[in-house]
Amino acid sequence: MAKRSEDAPSPGAPAWMATFSDLMNLLLCFFVMLFAMSSIQEEKLQAFVAAMNNTFSIFDKGATAIGDGILISNGVSQLNELDEYINSTGVVADSDTDSDELDNAADSAEKLEQMLEEHKLKDNEELSEQVEEMLAESQIGDEVDVSFTAQYVQLSMNGGLLFSSGSAELKDDAKKVLDKVGGVLEYYSSGTIEIEGHTDNVPIHSAQYPSNEELSSARALSVFYYLVDNTLLDPVNLKHAGMGERIPIADNSVEEGRSRNRRVEIRIYNPSQG
């Protein structure tokens, strides 16, 4: 039995017709998909068809060409006019509605965000009251200032209580305070706890700490290590950072202000808002 040659012509339609047919099918599927994804309003569609009939005399009594039926000679220019017409009628008409809808959506989103912010603020206010009560029961309420925002509850301790000047080594009295603070933090250990060290703007140039950035980082790290070693806090949920002199809370031009700026802040991020 003779083997069929690869070059022998195959019976049936020419090969280019099969390729063309495949291309038409793909285009049909593409436009069907676009149509299925679109949202068509009947009234707008009817108005558009009527406008097309009046302007271009198409879709009338089975007509299939644009204008006078001379598609090849002036079809390109009329298609451009059609594009301008759609842009000036359909798109612009919808743009006002879309703009109003976008404005309403933005207002709704803003209100929702504001409500969420207020809810978080209320939650953290209650959390801060709990923390204050526990600190008072531990008899360290005077050593730790408590404040709150919608994002966290903050415990602030004066740097003079924790460290000697220019040092990042914890004082013995500081360790007693941190023991009690750590006991409070354990109640919220499922959330993130952030430790930040801060300094005043007086430059430091010691061999150990070339700048306030290094000193504040070392102080935050000292508190971090102490809490990890002496509490049940998971170090995975603890963060530490040195902020140097960048975020003052008082006037650095006076000693009282500089004393307030030398501090360690511990932020509790509400576990219920995780």
Side-chain angles (χ1 to χ4, degrees), residues 159 162-170 204 208-209 215 218-219 222:
L162 302 177
F163 309 101
S164 299
S165 178
S167 173
E169 184 178 352
L170 288 168
I204 181 173
Q208 191 171 7
Y209 307 112
L215 177 60
R219 288 180 170 179
S222 292

Side-chain angles (χ1 to χ4, degrees), residues 2 30 33 71 87 89 113 135 141 147-148 153 196 220 227 234 244:
F30 175 74
M33 180 185 67
L71 179 60
N87 287 335
T89 57
E113 184 177 357
L135 293 174
S147 59
F148 66 92
V153 173
E196 285 188 354
L227 292 176
D234 188 347

